[in-house]
Amino acid sequence: GQQVMQIPQYQHVQEGEDFTTYCNSSTTLSNIQWYKQRPGGHPVFLIQLVKSGEVKKQKRLTFQFGEAKKNSSLHITATQTTDVGTYFCAGLLRGGADGLTFGKGTHLIIQP
Amino acid sequence: DGGITQSPKYLFRKEGQNVTLSCEQNLNHDAMYWYRQDPGQGLRLIYYSQIVNDFQKGDIAEGYSVSREKKESFPLTVTSAQKNPTAFYLCASRLAGGITDTQYFGPGTRLTVL
């Protein structure tokens, strides 16, 4: 069935190193969203990408949406301990009312 | 987040008992959703509702039931038919017809069935 795949599942980095998580869909997405979930918390919306090839930046975070609208990435430059958490991508596969289809998330672990 | 409340934060129940999880929002959002999160599994959609008195099954609706009698409320009942109910349950809402499809999540309820 339709699904959203996300890799890697876990990523250990040293503080200050860069981090990237990748998201791939089996079908074309209307848009893609990224969420961050801190340990013990709930997902919090980061950003939505809609246009083919779109790139958006939020301080040290860079989000990209592929030309075919089937893949996306989140890149964090010079990670900090506050970046710890799980990053989820979520795609709108069947229309907005159905709810998002989430990837399994990438757990970012930062070693000081 | 902000404007969506879920209670309780932690819930313990004995096997075979039905339990109802509360979700309330004051954001005037039309659509509401229930997700289940298991370790390493991401979020899976249980039920969703676009308007009052209407709801649809998600990907894993078996063993669950919902109601939407008021716009602000979307309670989820975990029935005894749910084979593995221990999980983290998240409620979310969305403003239908908005510019973005952003979903706002509540703080979640951690259900443990003993």
Side-chain angles (χ1 to χ4, degrees):
Chain A
Q2 297 173 329
Q3 57 182 324
V4 174
M5 294 152 288
Q6 195 173 350
I7 57 170
Q9 186 174 0
Y10 293 92
Q11 184 73 58
H12 291 78
V13 300
Q14 294 284 338
E15 187 176 6
E17 291 181 339
D18 292 356
F19 159 77
T20 304
T21 173
Y22 301 90
C23 187
N24 290 284
S25 170
S26 55
T27 60
T28 301
L29 301 168
S30 300
N31 62 56
I32 194 157
Q33 301 180 25
W34 286 92
Y35 291 77
K36 177 183 178 180
Q37 184 176 21
R38 293 182 183 275
H42 58 278
V44 174
F45 174 79
L46 293 177
I47 207 161
Q48 175 173 281
L49 304 172
V50 179
K51 299 177 183 177
S52 170
E54 189 171 12
V55 177
K56 288 187 176 181
K57 292 189 176 184
Q58 289 180 350
K59 297 183 181 179
R60 295 178 295 104
L61 277 61
T62 301
F63 303 85
Q64 293 187 333
F65 201 11
E67 294 290 341
K69 299 183 74 173
K70 286 188 174 182
N71 58 76
S72 181
S73 65
L74 159 58
H75 179 82
I76 302 178
T77 303
T79 55
Q80 300 175 359
T81 54
T82 54
D83 295 325
V84 165
T86 303
Y87 293 85
F88 292 98
C89 62
L92 206 59
L93 294 177
R94 294 163 292 179
D98 290 19
L100 296 165
T101 299
F102 283 79
K104 292 188 177 182
T106 295
H107 302 264
L108 174 59
I109 298 117
I110 297 176
Q111 295 155 342
Chain B
D1 193 14
I4 301 180
T5 57
Q6 290 184 245
S7 61
K9 188 172 182 179
Y10 298 96
L11 188 57
F12 296 87
R13 279 293 182 269
K14 291 183 179 179
E15 192 172 347
Q17 291 182 332
N18 291 356
V19 60
T20 298
L21 280 58
S22 167
C23 178
E24 304 279 332
Q25 54 99 1
N26 61 4
L27 301 169
N28 200 33
H29 285 175
D30 302 291
M32 297 186 73
Y33 307 83
W34 274 105
Y35 293 91
R36 169 183 172 137
Q37 185 174 33
D38 296 282
Q41 292 297 315
L43 284 76
R44 292 181 290 170
L45 182 64
I46 304 173
Y47 267 98
Y48 64 96
S49 169
Q50 301 177 50
I51 56 173
V52 175
N53 292 322
D54 183 62
F55 49 83
Q56 303 296 329
K57 292 182 178 180
D59 299 318
I60 54 166
E62 186 175 352
Y64 299 98
S65 66
V66 293
S67 63
R68 188 85 186 278
E69 297 177 2
K70 298 186 298 183
K71 189 176 186 178
E72 305 79 21
S73 179
F74 191 39
L76 173 74
T77 297
V78 185
T79 75
S80 56
Q82 169 50 233
K83 291 182 171 52
N84 186 19
T86 294
F88 187 39
Y89 291 89
L90 287 156
C91 178
S93 69
R94 179 181 71 88
L95 180 63
I99 296 174
T100 72
D101 297 297
T102 304
Q103 294 195 7
Y104 296 87
F105 285 85
T109 293
R110 294 191 182 275
L111 173 65
T112 301
V113 175
L114 306 172

